[in-house]
Amino acid sequence: MLLLVALALPVSGRSQEEAPQVPREFRAMWVATVSNIDWPSKPGLSTWQQQAELIAILDKAVELHMNAIVLQVRPATDALYSSKLEPWSEYLTGQMGRPPEPYYDPLAFAVEEAHKRGLELHAWFNPYRAHHPSAKSEISQDHLSVKRPDMVRSYGKHLWLDPGDTAVVRHSIAVLTDVVKRYDVDGIHLDDYFYPYKERDASGAIIDFPDTITWKRYLTSGGKLSRDDWRRENVNHFVRDLYK
């Protein structure tokens, strides 16, 4: 598990004693679900085993004097919570689209148990990653790569959503706002909210991200930015639209 620690620093020009008191620090424990890095320890555990593991993580956070948990709930256009927009993550049950058995909602459970312990629960999303190479199960029919393959690009060993596609922006923001409206989360965190790191072929040459369709659409609409600047502006637009 990764730890994120935010420390209060003295105000410039003042001594430590004169600095205004900060009421609290943000001391967060990141809990990654992709590839079962932190939780669950492996796919296919029973509901009781998953819950026991998560409670152990929350109790450890309290023991370490953390005050927040950042839980990865959407690693690759899938969901570790009940969603009508995206399928259940295979990192829970071993099969994409299959809910936990016996049924429970992991995010609702995490929020309730975190709050019982005085911990904030922040939901961590990957807005553009569509499929991770660690995934082993068959892709479900309600996954975006099946329902809307026009929004998805194959790049390296991953599938990615195209940040230049307005449909991608609308969908990702719909996913994020759906969680905010339905769960008592204390914050939203974005990971990989940019174009993927450059892939290289066998010779070491850089492989360009396959966004020619949306790039040409931008040029046809009268766009004047360079391709790299256009890509950066696509990310800016996403963050601005989400904030609004």
Side-chain angles (χ1 to χ4, degrees):
M1 288 171 284
L2 300 177
L3 299 181
L4 173 67
V5 181
L7 299 177
L9 299 177
V11 177
S12 178
R14 294 179 177 176
S15 70
Q16 181 68 53
E17 292 73 24
E18 294 173 329
Q21 291 296 313
V22 176
R24 64 198 303 270
E25 300 171 336
F26 182 69
R27 302 186 299 276
M29 180 181 288
W30 294 77
V31 180
T33 58
V34 65
S35 306
N36 297 102
I37 292 174
D38 295 319
W39 180 81
S41 60
K42 61 182 179 181
L45 295 179
S46 71
T47 289
W48 321 121
Q49 290 170 314
Q50 290 178 14
Q51 291 178 343
E53 286 190 351
L54 189 53
I55 285 173
I57 290 172
L58 299 178
D59 287 344
K60 175 59 70 173
V62 172
E63 179 186 336
L64 295 174
H65 304 290
M66 299 290 107
N67 55 31
I69 295 291
V70 183
L71 177 64
Q72 189 176 31
V73 300
R74 192 226 195 188
T77 61
D78 52 359
L80 281 96
Y81 59 93
S82 178
S83 173
K84 294 181 179 179
L85 300 176
E86 294 181 330
W88 285 99
S89 174
E90 78 163 59
Y91 301 120
L92 281 172
T93 63
Q95 175 60 57
M96 183 187 294
R98 180 187 298 161
E101 181 63 38
Y103 178 82
Y104 81 112
D105 187 320
L107 181 52
F109 178 81
V111 169
E112 181 179 2
E113 293 298 325
H115 288 176
K116 282 181 183 178
R117 292 161 173 78
L119 297 166
E120 294 183 0
L121 196 291
H122 294 227
W124 161 12
F125 295 82
N126 293 74
Y128 297 133
R129 188 166 59 204
H131 196 252
H132 193 276
S134 66
K136 306 301 181 186
S137 73
E138 181 180 356
I139 295 177
S140 67
Q141 292 301 303
D142 52 351
H143 189 258
L144 210 58
S145 63
V146 177
K147 293 195 305 182
R148 289 293 306 273
D150 56 302
M151 294 165 56
V152 179
R153 309 285 181 256
S154 178
Y155 188 57
K157 296 180 179 180
H158 293 74
L159 294 180
W160 295 94
L161 301 182
D162 184 346
D165 190 336
T166 55
V168 166
V169 174
R170 286 196 300 270
H171 177 78
S172 289
I173 290 179
V175 168
L176 287 153
T177 53
D178 172 58
V179 167
V180 170
K181 289 176 181 178
R182 294 194 296 118
Y183 296 89
D184 189 21
V185 295
D186 300 291
I188 293 294
H189 291 243
L190 299 183
D191 187 19
D192 298 331
Y193 61 98
F194 39 76
Y195 282 73
Y197 298 114
K198 298 292 187 182
E199 297 282 351
R200 296 179 182 270
D201 62 21
S203 69
I206 291 177
I207 304 171
D208 202 20
F209 184 74
D211 57 358
T212 299
I213 293 174
T214 45
W215 167 240
K216 288 184 176 179
R217 188 184 303 160
Y218 168 73
L219 294 177
T220 301
S221 70
K224 303 298 183 182
L225 295 175
S226 69
R227 195 162 186 173
D228 284 343
D229 284 343
W230 167 74
R231 286 170 172 164
R232 282 186 279 268
E233 191 59 19
N234 289 334
V235 174
N236 293 339
H237 276 302
F238 172 77
V239 174
R240 281 197 297 264
D241 289 350
L242 175 60
Y243 178 79
K244 290 176 182 176

